[in-house]
Amino acid sequence: ISACLVGSEMCIRDSSYGIHICRIMIPHKIYTERMMSMFLNEATKLRAQTIIKGLEKRNMHGVFCATKEDALKQALSYIKEGSSVSWGGSMSVSEIGLMDALKEGNYHLIDRSVAKNFDEQREIFSKAVLSDYFLMSSNAITLDGELINIDGTGNRVACLSYGPKHVIMIVGMNKVVNDVEDGIKRVRNFASPPNTLRLGLKTPCSMTGRCGDCYGDTCICSQIVVTRRQSAMMKDRVKVILVGESLGY
């Protein structure tokens, strides 16, 4: 017995005898929503493949995972047990359950959040630079595979640029932009405001919801880094897991 969609009807047949058993009408609204979802998902996959090709020409590796669960499995497949792992501030890494999985597993975690002062933070960061794996997201990614990231102190973009043996990025498809200019605008106007609210910082964007081009002590937009490519000697060091869900800011 098999079932298939014909128009807005569900047809059920017994294939062994070629007998049409019944025809069930699907409400038009449900049919329309399912079809829209199907086409949107397919477009997301096509967009991801375009980005992956862009990453490849830039000496970075990309893969698409439709769900957070698939993304978690993919990320863990990259990380060897017993290895040292550090990370930059990232809601996306936590959202897919990667941080919980690492804490429960056999890994050496380098966590800067345990530092009691700036000197301890610097000491932990020096270990993170030499870690086996560094985890992060990207504030934005272009359709051609360029990565756009903005940091307050620069620890995250520093490790992206050089240091850790491997960088694993968890990037929701909600962060895809057309080009670098659009990416910077996205970060400053749509990612930074909720981040400052999360961190309890008083900045113009935390009060207006848009970039105020501030220079105050609480500004989190200090370092703007565009990763155009990785050098040939570090080919595939950066692995980008694109996730077909909305993640992070």
Side-chain angles (χ1 to χ4, degrees):
I1 295 176
S2 62
C4 65
L5 273 174
V6 178
S8 59
E9 300 177 341
M10 178 73 78
C11 296
I12 301 177
R13 299 184 178 88
D14 188 329
S15 57
S16 57
Y17 296 99
I19 300 173
H20 174 83
I21 299 175
C22 65
R23 178 167 293 189
I24 303 171
M25 292 297 296
I26 298 176
H28 182 70
K29 182 180 179 181
I30 296 176
Y31 169 75
T32 302
E33 289 175 350
R34 287 179 179 175
M35 293 302 289
M36 286 180 62
S37 178
M38 181 179 73
F39 291 134
L40 285 170
N41 289 339
E42 187 60 29
T44 296
K45 291 178 185 177
L46 293 172
R47 195 175 299 115
Q49 291 307 314
T50 297
I51 296 169
I52 289 169
K53 288 179 181 178
L55 289 167
E56 288 175 352
K57 76 178 182 183
R58 300 174 189 281
N59 290 331
M60 293 181 279
H61 177 76
V63 64
F64 175 72
C65 294
T67 67
K68 290 183 285 190
E69 292 75 19
D70 290 341
L72 174 59
K73 292 177 183 177
Q74 185 68 46
L76 289 173
S77 74
Y78 290 142
I79 306 172
K80 296 180 180 179
E81 285 197 7
S83 59
S84 58
V85 184
S86 191
W87 55 90
S90 171
M91 297 300 293
S92 301
V93 172
S94 296
E95 281 183 80
I96 68 167
L98 183 53
M99 291 311 307
D100 289 337
L102 291 174
K103 289 175 183 176
E104 294 171 1
N106 178 29
Y107 306 97
H108 172 53
L109 304 183
I110 303 170
D111 184 1
R112 66 190 174 98
S113 69
V114 301
K116 297 182 179 65
N117 52 55
F118 184 69
D119 286 337
E120 286 188 14
Q121 199 172 66
R122 286 187 71 248
E123 184 178 344
I124 293 173
F125 176 68
S126 69
K127 296 176 182 178
V129 171
L130 297 176
S131 63
D132 295 316
Y133 299 91
F134 188 79
L135 313 176
M136 61 181 291
S137 184
S138 185
N139 295 136
I141 183 170
T142 71
L143 287 167
D144 202 34
E146 295 157 297
L147 308 173
I148 301 102
N149 286 281
I150 298 182
D151 264 13
T153 60
N155 67 295
R156 191 175 59 109
V157 294
C159 287
L160 168 61
S161 301
Y162 190 80
K165 290 181 182 177
H166 306 278
V167 176
I168 299 174
M169 308 184 81
I170 311 297
V171 186
M173 290 297 287
N174 55 305
K175 297 185 176 182
V176 176
V177 295
N178 186 53
D179 53 32
V180 171
E181 184 179 357
D182 285 345
I184 293 174
K185 289 178 180 178
R186 180 199 182 277
V187 182
R188 299 185 76 171
N189 289 290
F190 297 100
S192 292
N195 260 320
T196 55
L197 290 169
R198 176 177 66 87
L199 297 169
L201 301 175
K202 289 186 177 181
T203 62
C205 70
S206 71
M207 294 182 280
T208 65
R210 60 170 295 179
C211 180
D213 196 27
C214 67
Y215 290 86
D217 291 342
T218 55
C219 177
I220 64 171
C221 297
S222 302
Q223 316 289 335
I224 300 177
V225 174
V226 177
T227 304
R228 179 175 176 269
R229 66 185 293 272
Q230 286 281 288
S231 68
M233 68 160 83
M234 295 191 291
K235 180 177 171 60
D236 293 340
R237 169 181 172 266
V238 174
K239 295 176 175 59
V240 179
I241 301 176
L242 297 167
V243 188
E245 298 188 32
S246 182
L247 295 175
Y249 301 124

